[in-house]
């Protein structure tokens, strides 16, 4: 199993080497340390394992590594079902491959693999850490407060969110897998989400 984690880390290094936007956001910390963590599942994992997404070539190895690791990592959703709603709880999940709480411990940068199922609205949310989304596979509309129209992001596209800048995402008919990077203050800080209509 450790070998599959190492393959995933190698794959992330390869994606960083191939994608300037990732390196410009932050270099990958050298010398990260593997931490034994018990697997933790969320409901979306089987959906991710059987999804038919096609990854961008620069992240093909990372996509395959993320799928191979899916039964072995600690998945999270970031919110309670009461807060985020049933649809989100069934169709969203992420794991921290590298970072302060990651399977590889490293300071200064956190790297998450985030899967969102088809036609899912990830409502307005915000957090202290600065963020870069990189679309590995699938398509989704992204919108920050103040933008009149959302932007469609495709595999290979990236998107920056400033500290505490509210942002939201609506996935397309195939869902998405993203590499999400956090830097700066608040690396293990909370996620805040607006209350669901009617909640
Ligand atoms: Fe975010």
């Amino acid at each position: 199993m450790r070998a599959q984690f190492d393959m995933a880390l190698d794959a992330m290094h390869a994606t960083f080497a191939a994608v300037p936007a990732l390196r410009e956001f932050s270099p990958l910390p050298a010398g990260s340390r593997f931490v034994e963590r018990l697997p933790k599942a969320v409901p979306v994992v089987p959906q991710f394992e059987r999804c038919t997404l096609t990854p961008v070539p620069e992240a093909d190895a990372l996509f395959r590594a993320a799928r191979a690791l899916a039964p072995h990592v600690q998945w999270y959703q970031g919110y309670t079902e009461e807060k985020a709603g049933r649809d989100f709880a069934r169709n969203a999940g992420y794991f921290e491959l590298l970072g302060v709480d990651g399977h590889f411990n490293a300071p200064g940068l956190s790297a998450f693999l985030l899967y969102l199922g088809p036609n899912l609205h990830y409502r307005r949310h915000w957090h202290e850490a600065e963020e870069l989304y990189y679309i590995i596979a699938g398509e989704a509309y992204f919108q920050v407060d103040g933008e009149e129209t959302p932007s469609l992001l495709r595999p290979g596209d990236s998107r920056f969110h400033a500290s505490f800048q509210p942002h939201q995402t609506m996935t397309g008919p195939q869902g998405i897998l993203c590499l999400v990077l956090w830097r700066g203050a608040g690396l293990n800080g909370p996620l805040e989400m607006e209350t669901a209509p009617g909640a």
Side-chain angles (χ1 to χ4, degrees):
M1 185 38 49
R2 172 64 195 278
Q4 281 172 290
F5 278 98
D6 287 340
M7 282 174 60
L9 187 61
D10 288 347
M12 189 160 65
H13 276 280
T15 300
F16 267 67
V19 181
L22 300 177
R23 301 196 300 275
E24 286 160 12
F25 181 78
S26 171
L28 264 179
S32 58
R33 180 175 55 86
F34 183 72
V35 181
E36 293 283 352
R37 296 185 187 278
L38 289 176
K40 179 178 175 301
V42 294
V44 79
V45 172
Q47 186 187 140
F48 170 55
E49 289 180 292
R50 65 172 184 265
C51 76
T52 56
L53 290 166
T54 302
V56 66
E58 289 83 352
D60 180 65
L62 184 56
F63 177 83
R64 285 186 279 110
R67 288 243 279 218
L69 281 183
H72 309 293
V73 295
Q74 289 191 337
W75 287 91
Y76 293 94
Q77 295 180 309
Y79 313 91
T80 62
E81 183 166 342
E82 292 69 34
K83 184 73 179 177
R86 193 167 183 268
D87 199 32
F88 190 87
R90 299 271 181 295
N91 293 288
Y94 66 85
F95 66 90
E96 186 172 344
L97 181 59
L98 177 143
V100 289
D101 297 316
H103 289 274
F104 290 94
N105 179 263
L109 178 73
S110 292
F112 308 91
L113 277 302
L114 167 70
Y115 175 76
L116 300 174
N119 304 311
L120 182 68
H121 184 199
Y122 185 175
R123 293 197 315 274
R124 282 179 73 245
H125 57 281
W126 54 92
H127 39 78
E128 184 177 16
E130 295 180 318
E131 177 175 71
L132 191 78
Y133 267 78
Y134 172 73
I135 310 298
I136 294 173
E139 296 183 353
Y141 285 96
F142 284 70
Q143 189 170 21
V144 298
D145 279 19
E147 267 185 325
E148 284 200 8
T149 53
S151 304
L152 178 62
L153 268 66
R154 298 189 170 90
D157 290 342
S158 59
R159 175 96 165 163
F160 176 76
H161 297 134
S163 181
F164 291 119
Q165 181 178 38
H167 48 281
Q168 56 184 310
T169 301
M170 175 71 81
T171 62
Q174 289 193 301
I176 53 171
L177 180 71
C178 302
L179 176 62
V180 181
L181 304 179
W182 277 19
R183 73 180 183 193
L187 284 182
N188 51 5
L191 292 155
E192 305 287 348
M193 183 189 275
E194 70 174 1
T195 303

